[in-house]
Amino acid sequence: MTDSPDRDERHLARMLRKKAVIDERIANSPNECGLLLVLTGNGKGKSSSAFGMLARAMGHGMQCGVVQFIKGRNSTGEELFFRRFPEQVRFHVMGEGFTWETQDRQRDIAAAEAAWAVSRELLRDPAIGLVVLDELNIALKHGYLDLDLVLSDLQARPPMQHVLVTGRGAKPEMIDLADTVTEMGVLKHAFQAGIKAQKGIEL
């Protein structure tokens, strides 16, 4: 497609209109508060996105906390990396492996309850700017934790604290409470072609 002065002028006019709309929306959104963000869906990248936001928060000097539900049998790249910064992030791996590996519901419940006890400590600390609750949705989906208690603790957190919840199958009540919800879908996944999970990509 060839460029032309007319096309450039139309582009400039569109961008000027778009900028005016966006500038107005920004001007009408002056408030700041702690957000509850939920990453759910069957697609890959929920935890990866969460840890990207964790790195972003740390880059701004925020104190952070991480509690990983379900995961825990094997070390992941994110755990190995973020444990290098103990002065800025409290990293707790509280799971005992995926549910199809543990095959023991009562043991999974006990692990989830212990993880929530640690989560509550983070959620009560106003010095913590961001709390990542990785795979919490899975624990709630399987009924390992009391949903009403979890929602109540989330609502009672310090007003400027951000919380990021990941895991497929987010409960409708969690979605209703959240400020931002992203559902990740699957278009294609290497595992479907017989390629196993690999370091630096899935773990």
Side-chain angles (χ1 to χ4, degrees):
M1 183 178 293
T2 59
D3 291 331
S4 70
D6 286 345
R7 185 180 181 195
D8 291 344
E9 289 176 9
R10 290 195 303 271
H11 175 80
L12 175 59
R14 282 197 308 271
M15 292 304 105
L16 287 172
R17 289 194 299 270
K18 185 172 185 179
K19 176 174 169 50
V21 170
I22 293 173
D23 286 349
E24 182 179 3
R25 292 183 66 183
I26 292 172
N28 291 328
S29 304
N31 300 325
E32 291 185 0
C33 63
L35 299 176
L36 173 61
L37 304 99
V38 174
L39 299 173
T40 191
N42 294 330
K44 171 180 163 45
K46 297 178 289 294
S47 295
S48 300
S49 177
F51 288 114
M53 281 188 261
L54 175 63
R56 176 183 293 160
M58 291 173 64
H60 285 290
M62 294 170 64
Q63 292 293 311
C64 304
V66 177
V67 179
Q68 287 194 295
F69 295 77
I70 310 302
K71 298 171 183 174
R73 179 166 292 183
N74 300 306
S75 293
T76 59
E78 56 263 27
E79 177 191 356
L80 295 171
F81 177 77
F82 286 110
R83 283 199 188 279
R84 298 176 188 176
F85 308 95
E87 73 288 348
Q88 197 173 358
V89 58
R90 305 179 201 173
F91 206 108
H92 303 274
V93 181
M94 305 291 294
E96 296 192 6
F98 294 104
T99 54
W100 60 85
E101 292 174 338
T102 60
Q103 301 179 13
D104 186 335
R105 186 169 185 274
Q106 292 305 314
R107 181 173 156 186
D108 289 338
I109 290 172
E113 289 177 343
W116 190 249
V118 173
S119 302
R120 294 181 87 181
E121 292 180 12
L122 297 174
L123 293 170
R124 292 172 177 172
D125 187 347
I128 303 293
L130 174 67
V131 178
V132 176
L133 302 174
D134 190 34
E135 304 289 5
L136 172 60
N137 287 333
I138 300 295
L140 293 171
K141 176 182 176 182
H142 288 298
Y144 297 163
L145 294 170
D146 181 272
L147 177 61
D148 290 337
L149 174 64
V150 168
L151 297 178
S152 176
D153 287 340
L154 288 172
Q155 288 178 294
R157 72 187 191 277
M160 292 305 296
Q161 186 183 78
H162 305 297
V163 177
L164 187 49
V165 175
T166 76
R168 62 183 62 196
K171 291 282 189 179
E173 296 89 344
M174 180 69 75
I175 291 173
D176 289 343
L177 183 63
D179 299 288
T180 299
V181 180
T182 300
E183 183 174 21
M184 298 187 177
V186 180
L187 294 180
K188 191 175 184 180
H189 198 295
F191 186 66
Q192 297 166 340
I195 302 172
K196 70 178 183 179
Q198 299 177 76
K199 289 181 179 179
I201 305 300
E202 283 86 17
L203 49 92

